[in-house]
Amino acid sequence: MAISHLTRRLLRPTTTAARLLPGTSFPNPHAHARNPLLLLHPHRRFSTAPGSNPEAGTATGTGPEAANGTPPSLESMKHQEIEGPTVERDMSPLADEARAELDALRRATQRLSASLAVLGGAHLAAGAWIISGAAPVGVESAAAVQGVAAFAFPFTAALVLRRVIKPVAFFQRMEANGRLQVLTLCLQASKNVNLMLLRTRVVAISCALGVSVGSVAAILMR
């Protein structure tokens, strides 16, 4: 006996319900045999944890703060700080000597700045004393001493700077030819710069003493 069209529609309730309610979806009846859990929870997504809301997690973020509905704390939003050593420290004798030279370079720079301040103070005091009129008449020799010191210092400093360029350029050529390591090049350059600062400090102190002693001697000789 042929099955009528109405009987076939009644035997397919899923298609009929889907046509009546377009927004509803029904599980596959053949999947129940493969997974019995679908009979208990036909619309549950087993890829998510129980009690979690995927839509809420997508909107507010992930983590326990998002699951509880509270905003994340500042500690959790901080970037991870670097803690502990990231590279192995070089403890070779060459590295220790380079560190010692860098410390000496720093100390020489500080001493040079103090010497330049002393030189500037000596020039300022001598010039103010001469211009203010407190000095006796006929102190042209004291002004000449100050002028000589002001002329000698920059030219001597320029000569010292020129002398430090030559060895540094030599070591750079040696490193470029593959005969020196970069650490050795930095060590030699630091040594030469440290020597330049020490010489400039000696020149600055000599000029400051020359201005002071020369001015006093020129005044006393009058």
Side-chain angles (χ1 to χ4, degrees):
M1 180 183 294
I3 301 176
S4 64
H5 180 68
L6 181 58
T7 305
R8 287 197 299 268
R9 292 187 61 183
L10 291 176
L11 290 177
R12 290 186 295 177
T14 304
T15 306
T16 307
R19 291 180 180 179
L20 295 177
L21 299 175
T24 58
S25 61
F26 294 90
N28 188 3
H30 300 285
H32 295 166
R34 295 192 301 267
N35 193 355
L37 293 177
L38 292 177
L39 294 174
L40 300 177
H41 303 281
H43 296 284
R44 176 180 170 182
R45 297 180 181 179
F46 291 95
S47 60
T48 59
S52 63
N53 191 354
E55 290 78 5
T58 306
T60 59
T62 59
E65 293 87 356
N68 297 331
T70 58
S73 60
L74 294 178
E75 295 295 332
S76 62
M77 296 177 63
K78 288 177 61 177
H79 295 286
Q80 184 178 4
E81 298 179 357
I82 299 177
E83 296 179 358
T86 56
V87 294
E88 185 177 357
R89 196 166 188 261
D90 190 0
M91 301 303 295
S92 61
L94 183 61
D96 294 336
E97 187 178 359
R99 296 187 191 98
E101 287 296 327
L102 289 176
D103 292 337
L105 181 63
R106 177 179 53 82
R107 290 192 298 267
T109 304
Q110 294 176 353
R111 293 171 182 172
L112 177 60
S113 64
S115 303
L116 292 178
V118 170
L119 176 60
H123 277 290
L124 182 61
W129 179 68
I130 294 172
I131 295 174
S132 63
V137 181
V139 291
E140 291 82 6
S141 57
V145 170
Q146 185 182 9
V148 169
F151 169 80
F153 175 74
F155 277 87
T156 309
L159 178 62
V160 172
L161 288 173
R162 286 285 182 176
R163 292 189 62 181
V164 80
I165 292 177
K166 188 175 181 180
V168 170
F170 169 75
F171 287 115
Q172 282 183 338
R173 288 196 301 269
M174 295 290 289
E175 193 274 332
N177 294 332
R179 299 179 182 179
L180 280 181
Q181 295 181 354
V182 177
L183 183 59
T184 307
L185 171 63
C186 295
L187 175 61
Q188 297 298 330
S190 300
K191 284 184 176 180
N192 285 276
V193 174
N194 187 20
L195 182 61
M196 181 265 298
L197 295 178
L198 292 177
R199 290 175 178 175
T200 308
R201 179 171 175 263
V202 171
V203 172
I205 293 177
S206 302
C207 291
L209 292 177
V211 169
S212 303
V213 175
S215 300
V216 173
I219 292 172
L220 294 178
M221 289 176 62
R222 288 289 177 179

